[in-house]
Amino acid sequence: MKHLERRLVERKLKLLQMQTIEGAHAGNIYRIEVMDEDHRRSRYVYKEFAADRSNEVEIYSKAKEYIQPFSKYVDVWDTPPQAILMRDLQSPLKKEFKGLSDRNKRKQIVSILERLAVLHSSTIRLVANELPTHRVTSEWRDWCLDQLTRLRSRSQWMNSDWINVIKDSYDQLDVTHYNPRSPLVLTHGDPHLENIFILDEQVWFIDWEWTTVASPLRDITILVQDLYDSKWIQFVKATYHECLKNKQFHISDEDYRRDYHYLYIDHTTMMLAWEIEKYFQGYTMEEEIQRMIDFKIGELNRVREEELGL
């Protein structure tokens, strides 16, 4: 870790301890403890990006002024090995969310939605410049169908109707040609509960790799992917519209509903494929992946039927 030690020295910091953060990460992540010249100790997270997953470095360089108020990053290096240094935010919200009471779940969800509303409303007049614009394509549909086909060859419990639900959801609504109706804003692109932290009673986001200009509903339909309860998904959908209105960000009810439904189908399909991949890699147990698939397939059916008026 000579690169890390050299970079810390440049910031007049001495490395005291380092611990690898395990998980399915796009690169290597370490929790470190350092000491400054006044012998004060601090904790940071240092992430070295995989060679093919360093887009976050470029995103920071292009959108620093918009991202900084919502992120605890300290420094970014665009020379090899590309890396980022951020404050240690401790544990992601996902670890504790399931054990919260309904009252506290509601409180946390509202805090996240209000924070995202600030991000989205503050960038409504953002000129895209070199930032990419999010487009709905067939990418997640194709990946999910491939994953389900692989699953069918490996398991006895695979339900062939799951493949038909994916195809019907995209084909009957022509999802891959959908153009969002709401004003485009800067979106985080991956605000699931593993990327959200609460520190000092404030919401913070990490992993801005997938940041693009998009409908604000892009972030919301990714956020709900960790909520395996239709009650909370419906709560998020309704509450976020009110959060935007409170920020004088107006989207008609019809445009909001359509953006939500179409992006929800695409992102539910994306997350379904990713959850199956984590199962293949051994991160998810068989019983759990069955539960996840059943729930998300049910959600796809529900939204498809609602949008078609069935």
Side-chain angles (χ1 to χ4, degrees):
M1 296 302 295
K2 292 182 179 179
H3 292 289
L4 171 58
E5 292 186 23
R6 174 174 51 80
R7 288 167 172 174
L8 291 175
V9 168
E10 291 172 355
R11 297 187 61 86
K12 299 181 179 180
L13 297 172
K14 179 181 178 181
L15 179 64
L16 299 177
Q17 296 185 40
M18 181 174 68
Q19 175 188 6
T20 301
I21 300 177
E22 304 291 346
H25 307 302
N28 299 310
I29 305 181
Y30 308 93
R31 177 171 280 110
I32 63 175
E33 184 177 8
V34 302
M35 185 169 62
D36 65 16
E37 291 181 308
D38 297 320
H39 302 286
R40 293 174 298 194
R41 297 187 177 215
S42 302
R43 295 175 68 88
Y44 295 90
V45 170
Y46 176 75
K47 178 178 181 179
E48 284 190 354
F49 296 97
D52 59 343
R53 292 288 298 275
S54 61
N55 184 57
E56 189 173 357
V57 173
E58 185 177 0
I59 292 295
Y60 274 114
S61 68
K62 293 178 179 178
K64 176 181 177 180
E65 64 181 294
Y66 302 107
I67 294 173
Q68 196 164 30
F70 305 91
S71 172
K72 280 289 190 179
Y73 85 93
V74 175
D75 211 341
V76 178
W77 292 273
D78 60 5
T79 55
Q82 292 180 305
I84 184 172
L85 183 70
M86 69 188 83
R87 296 285 181 180
D88 184 2
L89 297 170
Q90 300 174 19
S91 298
L93 182 57
K94 186 173 183 177
K95 288 188 175 181
E96 66 175 78
F97 188 81
K98 287 183 180 180
L100 296 177
S101 65
D102 278 5
R103 178 181 178 181
N104 285 331
K105 283 181 179 178
R106 177 185 293 265
K107 179 181 177 181
Q108 298 288 36
I109 289 172
V110 170
S111 295
I112 296 167
L113 295 177
E114 289 177 343
R115 190 78 157 136
L116 286 171
V118 173
L119 170 66
H120 296 154
S121 62
S122 66
T123 59
I124 191 171
R125 293 179 179 84
L126 172 71
V127 177
N129 294 328
E130 297 180 11
L131 288 173
T133 298
H134 174 257
R135 305 289 184 193
V136 179
T137 68
S138 64
E139 179 180 3
W140 304 133
R141 172 189 181 275
D142 295 344
W143 184 34
C144 192
L145 291 176
D146 286 345
Q147 293 287 72
L148 288 171
T149 300
R150 288 175 63 198
L151 187 63
R152 181 169 56 187
S153 69
R154 298 186 183 193
S155 68
Q156 298 288 330
W157 47 266
M158 165 69 189
N159 187 336
S160 296
D161 286 343
W162 292 342
I163 290 177
N164 294 330
V165 170
I166 301 294
K167 291 179 177 179
D168 289 346
S169 297
Y170 277 80
D171 294 347
Q172 293 176 12
L173 296 176
D174 195 20
V175 172
T176 57
H177 295 104
Y178 182 71
N179 292 313
R181 300 185 174 194
S182 67
L184 302 184
V185 300
L186 186 75
T187 57
H188 176 280
D190 199 18
H192 57 78
L193 296 183
E194 285 280 3
N195 287 338
I196 300 175
F197 294 73
I198 308 293
L199 184 67
D200 299 329
E201 299 184 1
Q202 182 62 280
V203 174
W204 303 97
F205 303 98
I206 67 167
D207 289 356
W208 295 76
E209 176 185 4
W210 303 106
T211 293
T212 68
V213 175
S215 164
L217 278 303
R218 179 191 185 215
D219 279 344
I220 305 309
T221 54
I222 293 174
L223 170 64
V224 296
Q225 296 305 318
D226 282 331
L227 304 179
Y228 285 85
D229 186 326
S230 295
K231 173 185 69 176
W232 292 119
I233 292 173
Q234 296 289 7
F235 175 74
V236 168
K237 178 184 176 183
T239 302
Y240 193 63
H241 202 182
E242 293 303 312
C243 289
L244 289 179
K245 291 176 182 177
N246 291 338
K247 294 295 180 182
Q248 306 303 310
F249 187 136
H250 297 290
I251 307 174
S252 72
D253 291 348
E254 180 182 356
D255 288 349
Y256 185 92
R257 188 201 78 243
R258 286 180 65 83
D259 272 14
Y260 183 92
H261 281 172
Y262 278 78
L263 292 172
Y264 184 58
I265 287 173
D266 199 40
H267 291 138
T268 299
T269 304
M270 172 192 72
M271 192 55 66
L272 182 55
W274 175 237
E275 295 294 358
I276 295 172
E277 181 63 27
K278 288 195 288 186
Y279 167 68
F280 289 153
Q281 293 180 14
Y283 290 104
T284 307
M285 301 297 291
E286 186 173 277
E287 183 177 344
E288 185 178 6
I289 192 61
Q290 289 184 59
R291 177 185 64 82
M292 289 176 168
I293 297 174
D294 281 336
F295 181 83
K296 291 191 180 297
I297 290 294
E299 282 293 288
L300 288 172
N301 257 329
R302 178 184 66 80
V303 172
R304 177 184 62 84
E305 290 178 357
E306 185 175 338
E307 190 61 31
L308 290 173
L310 300 177

